[in-house]
Amino acid sequence: MLETVKLSKSFKGKKVVDEINIYLDAGESVGLLGPNGAGKSTTISMISSLIRPTSGDIKLDGKSTIKDPSEIRKVLGVVPQEIALYEELTAYENLKFFGQTYQVKKDILEGRIQEVLEMVGLKERQKELIKTFSGGMKRRINIAAALLHQPKILILDEPTVGIDPQSRNHILETVRELNKTSGTTVLYTSHYMEEVEQLCKRVYIMDRGKIIASGSKEELLSILSTEDTIQVQLSNRSESLIDTIKSFSNVFQLDETNVGLRIISKKNSNLLSKLVLASEKEGIQIVNYQVEIPSLEDVFLHLTGKTLRD
Amino acid sequence: MYPVLYAQFIKDKRKPLLVLLFIALSILATLIFGDTSRQTEITVDVFASGSNAEEIEQRWVKLLNDNSETEFVISEEREAREQVREGKRDVAIHLMNNDYRLITASDMPDILLVEQEIHQVFIEEAQLQAIAGSENTTNLREQLKNYLENSPITVQTENINGGKLTSHDMGTQLLFGFTLFIVMFTIGFRVNGINEDKVSGVWNRLILSPVSKINMYVGHLLYSFFIGFIQLVVVFLIFKYALNYEIGSLPMILTIAAVYTMSSVSLAMLIAGIAKTPEKFNMIYPSIVPMIPVISGVYMQPGAMDNPVFNFLADIFPLGYAVDAMMDVALFGAGWSDISLPLSFLLLIGVMYMGIGINLGERGKG
């Protein structure tokens, strides 16, 4: 349905998006994951025709949208990262305004406004000014405004930044429902791994302007199929014990966390017995030993050497 | 375009205080400063000393009061000096038989005016004494007055259209000046809505909608025009019908106001295009705007501003053209052809600044 071909963008000679290829099938829910500054928002701005790519192409049903973006604009609903609403207007007035600008027919606009308000759970508060809303409520109206013209593709740029858990759940549920019941194609960007894991069938991981991995959750996790992530809690911290563990042939990485040690080792390397022997020698007890089920966060860490919130 | 315009209206409907404040400010400023300039009558204490002080005072006070706009009042020397010392009067006059001394504590513009008037009266009296050959000039003065009433040559002064020559009225100039100056703020803060929309993301939402960019700009700019023009109409109507100011032909004044509003919207758009963000606009615009009436000579008598640099700067802003055109209409009964030149300049400024402003605002986008 929608694809980018070697899409790139440079600002003052610096490449912020570097030849990325993304595709979205109709009715799919796809995540675009990456830390702040990875180039997600720039990618979205290019896809939604707000900025022109330096090179590459964006195709909607096989047809380039760069020269004439009118077709993609018709089918696109974009939820920007910022609260793109008039604070001095009520929720209803904002939706009416955006509905009118999207040329939703007069006789159906009122119905659509009530539908989207119901969807985001703010029907009862529609007569209140946006400036009196909490951050979470504003973000929900921000989403509602993008749904008025019933877009086929919904692009959400970090729609849950800085909001309370209740509003966050509501937003995730709304997006899931839209994808499930209306068949809306969703491109969801976030730096919250768990949101993307919950919502999206397929994920693109982006870092420093490049797609560094992509696929279904299972496919991405299989990247870590040769590794175990082990959390170890010790009775005392010992520098010599840490050095000993690092010297084990099957240990790839060792990080100190606030609860102990995080060890990435070769899968099924029987690390426990070696660890018990080494700690006994140092007179240190192993309080806790846990082999973690890998998450997308671990995949990201593995690929970039840093966490998503870095 | 209509939804954009309507949304701006709703925003102002929720916060009408600013517009009402600017209307009140226009009226208040004109009433305070305009009426001060209308009430230009100055009172000056005069005194004489010596044995024939009373005679000197009576003689000169009559002559001075008969021949000048200033009111001269006889007072005690000590009291007159005290008034000047305490700053209650700018000047006092020590009268002598055929001479005078000015007693001042500061260099005020009024003093020059008073000095000119007294000098004129004393020179005239000296000339009459020289002709009469004595200090008694009463008869000669009477003869001269009768002669001048039936003089062989009479000089009549009239304006360019053959009408009565009208003296310049600073009150009316200030009415136009303040009103047109204050409306620039109303207009500017509305035009800044474009930058606010761009920063908040509303602008991007509109770009993705079927509304064209031209309509987005037109919606904002037309609303700024309307709100500014309505403010001018309200102020002028109040002055004409409630405060009985003579502002000339209302249709002509409103036409000038409309064209001025359009060019002021363009000026605000130019600054918005340079500033790019609402915060920068709020910093730059209110810093530039108060300088415009000063360099355009709005607070001064015509011709008082003779600095070529200031005159050039005044020429690139719309205020001076509009005030001049309105003054021509109000004081000299100028016709449509007389105001066509300033209107053309205003239109030119409007078109140029609008083009440059929108272009600058659109620059720097990927």
Side-chain angles (χ1 to χ4, degrees):
Chain A
M1 187 182 198
L2 182 69
E3 64 175 325
T4 69
V5 183
K6 290 189 169 182
L7 196 65
S8 299
K9 182 70 192 176
S10 301
F11 289 113
K12 291 176 184 169
K14 195 189 169 200
K15 252 188 179 172
V16 288
V17 176
D18 193 0
E19 296 195 347
I20 63 162
N21 297 308
I22 291 175
Y23 75 90
L24 275 88
D25 282 333
E28 226 188 348
S29 180
V30 174
L32 184 57
L33 201 65
N36 289 329
K40 303 186 299 289
S41 293
T42 309
T43 304
I44 280 184
S45 294
M46 285 191 285
I47 292 174
S48 51
S49 77
L50 284 171
I51 55 173
R52 278 181 85 92
T54 309
S55 62
D57 204 356
I58 300 153
K59 290 179 178 175
L60 178 70
D61 296 326
K63 205 176 147 193
S64 175
T65 66
I66 307 256
K67 278 188 183 158
D68 178 16
S70 60
E71 284 306 310
I72 197 166
R73 286 177 182 176
K74 276 183 202 161
V75 298
L76 217 59
V78 178
V79 180
Q81 203 175 110
E82 60 271 27
I83 309 288
L85 301 168
Y86 284 127
E87 295 263 320
E88 302 86 353
L89 267 59
T90 64
Y92 174 83
E93 286 165 346
N94 265 288
L95 294 176
K96 192 174 175 186
F97 167 66
F98 286 114
Q100 284 171 336
T101 61
Y102 272 93
Q103 294 174 356
V104 179
K105 283 182 184 155
K106 225 174 183 178
D107 50 334
I108 61 165
L109 179 59
E110 185 58 39
R112 278 300 296 160
I113 292 172
Q114 297 309 321
E115 261 176 58
V116 295
L117 280 167
E118 182 83 60
M119 224 180 271
V120 297
L122 289 169
K123 201 172 177 181
E124 308 303 314
R125 316 278 305 258
Q126 60 180 295
K127 299 286 177 205
E128 291 174 34
L129 297 179
I130 293 292
K131 65 179 174 191
T132 63
F133 281 10
S134 70
M137 285 155 74
K138 285 177 186 173
R139 288 215 170 266
R140 279 145 75 179
I141 296 294
N142 211 26
I143 293 175
L147 300 174
L148 285 160
H149 61 297
Q150 293 176 297
K152 286 183 185 159
I153 304 168
L154 183 65
I155 298 181
L156 299 104
D157 189 4
E158 309 218 15
T160 59
V161 169
I163 61 169
D164 56 288
Q166 197 191 346
S167 287
R168 192 179 179 188
N169 288 338
H170 207 292
I171 287 172
L172 295 179
E173 201 46 52
T174 307
V175 177
R176 204 198 322 268
E177 273 301 303
L178 269 167
N179 178 240
K180 214 165 138 187
T181 56
S182 324
T184 309
T185 308
V186 174
L187 178 60
Y188 191 96
T189 83
S190 177
H191 61 261
Y192 292 114
M193 193 69 76
E194 58 279 15
E195 287 181 3
V196 174
E197 280 192 73
Q198 270 181 52
L199 279 177
C200 306
K201 292 272 175 347
R202 235 158 29 81
V203 181
Y204 287 94
I205 296 180
M206 204 172 171
D207 188 37
R208 292 174 192 173
K210 288 187 176 186
I211 299 290
I212 52 171
S214 65
S216 65
K217 189 180 159 187
E218 292 71 29
E219 283 168 342
L220 287 172
L221 290 175
S222 71
I223 294 171
L224 300 180
S225 61
T226 56
E227 292 173 0
D228 274 335
T229 303
I230 304 155
Q231 289 283 356
V232 181
Q233 199 178 343
L234 302 168
S235 57
N236 293 311
R237 188 186 177 280
S238 162
E239 201 64 53
S240 58
L241 179 61
I242 289 170
D243 289 340
T244 309
I245 299 167
K246 275 182 182 171
S247 69
F248 293 163
S249 58
N250 292 331
V251 170
F252 301 138
Q253 195 177 332
L254 186 148
D255 297 305
E256 283 191 74
T257 66
N258 49 359
V259 287
L261 305 175
R262 190 168 187 270
I263 303 163
I264 298 174
S265 70
K266 194 178 170 187
K267 203 156 189 83
N268 303 323
S269 57
N270 197 18
L271 191 70
L272 182 59
S273 56
K274 285 181 186 174
L275 197 63
V276 171
L277 280 172
S279 53
E280 261 179 11
K281 245 184 210 174
E282 298 281 339
I284 292 169
Q285 279 187 324
I286 298 172
V287 180
N288 188 25
Y289 181 92
Q290 191 182 339
V291 180
E292 280 188 348
I293 299 163
S295 67
L296 287 179
E297 184 88 42
D298 299 311
V299 175
F300 190 83
L301 187 70
H302 172 82
L303 292 169
T304 65
K306 59 187 178 187
T307 65
L308 267 167
R309 283 153 188 86
D310 278 349
Chain B
M1 179 196 82
Y2 168 75
V4 179
L5 196 140
Y6 185 68
Q8 308 314 311
F9 168 69
I10 297 281
K11 272 158 67 180
D12 270 340
K13 209 178 94 183
R14 293 264 148 72
K15 285 196 291 188
L17 205 67
L18 206 65
V19 179
L20 294 175
L21 191 80
F22 283 141
I23 290 177
L25 214 64
S26 301
I27 296 166
L28 215 69
T30 308
L31 288 179
I32 293 169
F33 298 105
D35 272 8
T36 305
S37 75
R38 283 175 175 220
Q39 293 160 359
T40 49
E41 197 174 277
I42 308 161
T43 305
V44 175
D45 290 330
V46 296
F47 61 88
S49 51
S51 53
N52 58 345
E54 198 175 331
E55 187 199 329
I56 294 170
E57 284 168 357
Q58 293 297 343
R59 189 174 127 228
W60 284 112
V61 160
K62 187 174 182 312
L63 286 172
L64 287 167
N65 280 331
D66 285 351
N67 293 290
S68 77
E69 298 282 312
T70 309
E71 189 191 2
F72 293 90
V73 180
I74 300 168
S75 76
E76 292 294 320
E77 180 177 356
R78 190 183 52 78
E79 196 186 324
R81 286 181 185 277
E82 192 73 20
Q83 295 269 1
V84 174
R85 195 176 297 122
E86 288 174 4
K88 289 177 183 168
R89 294 260 200 268
D90 291 338
V91 61
I93 312 291
H94 182 187
L95 296 169
M96 285 164 261
N97 203 21
N98 288 310
D99 204 356
Y100 63 91
R101 293 282 180 278
L102 265 71
I103 295 149
T104 66
S106 56
D107 192 12
M108 301 294 283
D110 289 351
I111 298 168
L112 194 68
L113 273 172
V114 173
E115 211 275 331
Q116 278 174 354
E117 285 178 353
I118 299 170
H119 187 75
Q120 183 65 32
V121 171
F122 272 79
I123 288 284
E124 201 179 296
E125 184 63 11
Q127 285 170 341
L128 289 173
Q129 281 179 13
I131 296 164
S134 76
E135 279 194 10
N136 188 354
T137 57
T138 319
N139 289 337
L140 183 61
R141 192 178 287 279
E142 196 61 36
Q143 280 173 25
L144 204 61
K145 192 182 164 195
N146 291 336
Y147 177 76
L148 285 173
E149 275 171 9
N150 303 298
S151 59
I153 303 165
T154 51
V155 178
Q156 281 185 343
T157 315
E158 59 187 29
N159 70 18
I160 201 158
N161 298 320
K164 197 183 157 197
L165 192 69
T166 320
S167 61
H168 190 79
D169 185 353
M170 268 311 281
T172 311
Q173 181 175 316
L174 288 175
L175 152 67
F176 294 135
F178 281 127
T179 310
L180 298 182
F181 159 57
I182 289 168
V183 83
M184 288 176 84
F185 287 100
T186 310
I187 292 168
F189 294 135
R190 298 302 166 289
V191 173
N192 197 26
I194 294 174
N195 280 343
E196 282 166 9
D197 280 5
K198 283 181 180 174
V199 168
S200 73
V202 169
W203 194 259
N204 278 350
R205 270 213 155 122
L206 296 178
I207 288 175
L208 295 176
S209 77
V211 177
S212 70
K213 214 173 237 184
I214 292 172
N215 279 334
M216 286 154 64
Y217 275 109
V218 170
H220 271 282
L221 298 174
L222 209 57
Y223 179 73
S224 309
F225 171 84
F226 278 134
I227 201 86
F229 185 61
I230 288 167
Q231 181 178 322
L232 290 179
V233 172
V234 168
V235 174
F236 288 144
L237 288 181
I238 288 173
F239 273 101
K240 188 172 173 70
Y241 294 110
L243 300 169
N244 294 321
Y245 270 61
E246 185 45 64
I247 62 166
S249 155
L250 196 62
M252 289 181 81
I253 291 290
L254 293 186
T255 305
I256 300 165
V259 181
Y260 169 78
T261 309
M262 177 265 195
S263 62
S264 291
V265 168
S266 298
L267 175 65
M269 185 63 238
L270 174 72
I271 297 172
I274 295 166
K276 287 198 187 331
T277 67
E279 292 79 15
K280 275 189 199 161
F281 181 91
N282 286 337
M283 228 161 58
I284 298 171
Y285 193 76
S287 312
I288 292 175
V289 167
M291 288 191 286
I292 299 174
V294 178
I295 56 174
S296 301
V298 166
Y299 304 140
M300 287 164 257
Q301 294 279 350
M305 182 66 79
D306 55 2
N307 184 307
V309 178
F310 285 162
N311 284 341
F312 168 75
L313 287 174
D315 285 347
I316 61 171
F317 292 114
L319 186 66
Y321 297 108
V323 171
D324 286 349
M326 285 182 175
M327 288 298 283
D328 286 348
V329 171
L331 294 186
F332 310 115
W336 289 104
S337 58
D338 301 316
I339 59 164
S340 60
L341 188 67
L343 286 185
S344 307
F345 278 119
L346 288 172
L347 283 170
L348 183 71
I349 288 173
V351 172
M352 266 174 55
Y353 288 0
M354 185 68 75
I356 300 169
I358 291 177
N359 213 283
L360 287 173
E362 287 299 306
R363 266 194 196 177
K365 289 187 174 177

